[in-house]
Amino acid sequence: MKRIENLRVPVGANLSAAVAKKLRIPQSELGELRLLRRSLDARKKDDIAYVVTLEAYRKGERMIEEPTPTPLPLRKDLPPVGIVGAGPCGLFAALTLLYAGIPVTVFERGESVTDRQKAVEGFYRTGALNTQSNIQFGEGGAGTFSDGKLNTQTHSPYVKQVLKTFVRHGAPKEILWENKPHVGSDNLPRVVENMRKEILSLGGSVLFSTPITDLRTVKGGVTAYSGEKSYPVSALILAIGHSARDTFSTLLNRGFAMEQKPFAVGMRVEHLQSAIQKAQYGKMGEKLPPADYKLTAHALEKGIYSFCMCPGGVVVAAASEENALAVNGMSNYLRNGKNANSAIVVQVNEKDFGSGVLAGVNYQRELERHAFRLGGGNYAAPVCRMQEFLQGKTSSTFGEVLPTYPLKTQFANPVTLLGEPLFNAMRHGLTQMNERLSGFTHPDAILTGVETRTSSPIRILRGENLQSLSHPLVFPAGEGAGYAGGIVSAGVDGIRVAQNVAKALLN
């Protein structure tokens, strides 16, 4: 076996032929190839190529395979570990504990992913919001209705484990080597359901429509409550997600060590995907996969950046509270929709929303309620064409880009929607982004608001053993607790927390 690093392969070229040439052997002597990393180098639009790292085996040479992990027998003498939330953090925590032989009970306020899909479709059809099962809440977490993006800045040995676990449960194998891997919103429900099935097969339990409304730490464990029903557990993992506002309030009332944290808010921008292809790849655009972008800017002492970019995707209604409107983006695996979308968000902090642990939560909520009112009610989203946005005016018509938001839209003044400080920062940021990506401020691009759920506005403080600083045997985890920023990092944190739970219980 030979490992080849950073082999440059022109678009359309035969990979086996390129490898054989690199190894200086006839292509007929080449056996299997295992891709380890592949990225697209489009810095020179007249010389676009894939950059590949791989293992090359000669014909007849056996490919080395990693052994499949074997779960330990389930401990009958241990009460289950409670896991609040069935998003990626909670699911990976559950599997990690079960493979270590520790029983778990997963509490999920929303429904199973299949029933959750029906709830979301019903919301789009009727405008009747299920506040417990929606884009934010339910099996799989908020990431289930996004793009399933798995790119991460987390440099952890568990990243590979997360990706392999997804593949083992039905995700495309390409996520193991693509530089910017994604599962797609059409594949994620099946992957999530398969992970739940394995949890059940290993002896764990999953309780849907069971919100944890209170908890008490007791000697040697924790008691969780869902309404009047109590659940004694040996430890409790809080994998609650970034939108669990009622849980944040409950934890604060119970004396948990918590603090506010910065986050970002803004609007979703939509362009024609064909325009993004041309801007990124030039004449090669039609022959290449759907193009994305990642843009940053700085203005008025604020960082502005693109977030959760969805090539060939749609804008989704991401509300989880009545009479409050939030948006997000999603795309399916093929990313073959007409529009590209991403959030353009501005960093906000205590200077913007004031002091107090829940000040950021209240700031999000007020923006969402204001957007709901400007949309005219029934979750119609405020929108503005780029030309009028940059002028601070209200649009009156669409151009070549039509909004993909699934409910109605309503033209609204962006200054009124965002407030002057936020609007001015966004306007300057968009202008700077256009200098980096030609056509980004095309007059017909559409902005839809508001995007508020970029990350948790709260951090639940924990120590080196990953337990709450104030409540022993309670383990804040994942994005909702302020320790992750996406699907992969949430999964990684779930693994780390589960390992610390095992240490606390077994040592």
Side-chain angles (χ1 to χ4, degrees):
M1 181 270 288
K2 293 287 187 181
R3 182 183 173 101
I4 300 175
E5 302 271 356
N6 300 322
L7 176 65
R8 189 174 176 83
V9 183
V11 173
N14 183 281
L15 178 60
S16 294
V19 171
K21 181 179 180 181
K22 176 71 174 179
L23 296 176
R24 299 181 180 179
I25 63 173
Q27 190 174 343
S28 60
E29 293 183 15
L30 190 64
E32 292 184 276
L33 302 177
R34 175 187 280 157
L35 286 171
L36 302 176
R37 194 74 169 171
R38 185 175 74 168
S39 60
L40 190 65
D41 183 358
R43 288 173 294 179
K44 298 180 179 179
K45 292 182 173 55
D46 59 347
D47 185 27
I48 298 175
Y50 288 102
V51 179
V52 181
T53 296
L54 52 77
E55 293 175 350
Y57 293 79
R58 282 182 176 267
K59 188 165 288 185
E61 190 177 8
R62 185 177 178 183
M63 184 178 289
I64 301 169
E65 299 290 350
E66 294 184 11
T68 303
T70 303
L72 296 175
L74 208 59
R75 294 277 298 265
K76 302 296 184 182
D77 58 325
L78 278 177
V81 173
I83 301 174
V84 186
C89 180
L91 293 173
F92 276 95
L95 287 173
T96 302
L97 287 167
L98 288 166
Y99 268 78
I102 298 173
V104 302
T105 298
V106 180
F107 303 98
E108 171 53 55
R109 74 164 70 209
E111 298 171 305
S112 70
V113 69
T114 302
D115 291 336
R116 183 185 178 197
Q117 285 178 299
K118 295 176 182 177
V120 171
E121 290 166 2
F123 175 44
Y124 289 173
R125 188 173 60 254
T126 67
L129 176 67
N130 182 337
T131 58
Q132 297 300 311
S133 193
N134 46 58
I135 289 285
Q136 306 294 346
F137 300 139
E139 185 179 24
T144 304
F145 294 94
S146 60
D147 180 68
K149 282 175 286 293
L150 303 179
N151 46 305
T152 180
Q153 297 181 3
T154 301
H155 300 290
S156 167
Y158 300 126
V159 169
K160 190 175 182 180
Q161 180 179 336
V162 168
L163 297 180
K164 285 188 171 183
T165 300
F166 279 137
V167 170
R168 186 160 55 87
H169 291 90
K173 290 183 179 180
E174 289 82 0
I175 68 172
L176 296 176
W177 60 75
E178 292 292 357
N179 182 48
K180 296 179 180 179
H182 76 285
V183 180
S185 294
D186 48 342
N187 290 323
L188 269 168
R190 182 182 70 257
V191 174
V192 166
E193 183 177 16
N194 288 339
M195 292 177 75
R196 183 232 305 163
K197 288 179 178 178
E198 185 177 19
I199 289 170
L200 297 177
S201 72
L202 293 171
S205 62
V206 180
L207 304 179
F208 294 116
S209 301
T210 308
I212 295 303
T213 55
D214 205 353
L215 62 89
R216 297 283 195 281
T217 53
V218 295
K219 187 176 181 180
V222 182
T223 300
Y225 297 86
S226 182
E228 296 182 357
K229 191 165 184 178
S230 61
Y231 297 90
V233 294
S234 57
L236 192 69
I237 298 175
L238 294 175
I240 54 180
H242 58 41
S243 294
R245 294 167 175 172
D246 53 350
T247 307
F248 294 150
S249 296
T250 297
L251 297 176
L252 185 62
N253 290 336
R254 290 286 167 244
F256 271 75
M258 302 166 62
E259 64 183 13
Q260 63 167 241
K261 61 179 280 294
F263 52 101
V265 296
M267 299 179 73
R268 279 266 150 189
V269 64
E270 293 190 80
H271 301 84
L272 294 179
Q273 180 64 41
S274 58
I276 301 299
Q277 294 293 115
K278 184 177 180 181
Q280 292 289 53
Y281 301 145
K283 295 179 180 179
M284 291 287 289
E286 293 182 0
K287 300 179 181 180
L288 291 169
D292 64 2
Y293 56 78
K294 186 176 181 180
L295 300 170
T296 61
H298 192 273
L300 306 178
E301 301 182 345
K302 291 288 187 186
I304 306 101
Y305 58 94
S306 62
F307 174 79
C308 185
M309 196 273 158
C310 298
V314 296
V315 175
V316 299
S320 61
E321 296 182 346
E322 291 182 347
N323 301 325
L325 189 144
V327 299
N328 199 353
M330 65 165 271
S331 53
N332 291 331
Y333 180 69
L334 293 179
R335 292 174 162 176
N336 55 1
K338 187 174 182 178
N339 287 4
N341 78 81
S342 75
I344 303 298
V345 292
V346 180
Q347 294 174 331
V348 292
N349 54 36
E350 187 175 359
K351 292 181 180 179
D352 301 288
F353 46 73
S355 59
V357 173
L358 299 180
V361 172
N362 296 332
Y363 178 78
Q364 287 179 332
R365 181 175 281 140
E366 183 50 42
L367 274 175
E368 292 170 13
R369 290 175 176 173
H370 184 51
F372 182 85
R373 292 190 295 268
L374 279 181
N378 203 29
Y379 303 97
V383 296
C384 188
R385 205 167 64 110
M386 181 69 75
Q387 178 171 299
E388 286 75 37
F389 183 96
L390 295 176
Q391 299 170 353
K393 297 179 179 180
T394 305
S395 302
S396 59
T397 185
F398 295 116
E400 65 178 11
V401 184
L402 299 177
T404 57
Y405 182 78
L407 297 166
K408 293 181 179 180
T409 59
Q410 176 65 48
F411 289 120
N413 187 292
V415 184
T416 304
L417 174 64
L418 300 172
E420 285 194 14
L422 194 60
F423 165 76
N424 286 329
M426 267 193 68
R427 180 172 59 176
H428 284 290
L430 286 165
T431 301
Q432 292 178 33
M433 291 174 182
N434 189 67
E435 295 172 359
R436 297 174 175 85
L437 186 62
S438 177
F440 198 70
T441 56
H442 188 284
D444 286 346
I446 295 294
L447 293 110
T448 307
V450 289
E451 174 107 5
T452 53
R453 313 289 182 93
T454 55
S455 64
S456 178
I458 296 292
R459 180 172 288 110
I460 307 170
L461 302 179
R462 66 188 189 188
E464 291 184 2
N465 60 3
L466 306 191
Q467 294 186 44
S468 162
L469 289 180
S470 55
H471 291 67
L473 294 178
V474 177
F475 293 77
E479 194 163 350
Y483 297 101
I487 292 174
V488 172
S489 59
V492 166
D493 201 55
I495 294 170
R496 292 181 61 236
V497 166
Q499 292 177 339
N500 277 264
V501 170
K503 289 178 184 178
L505 297 179
L506 300 180
N507 292 343

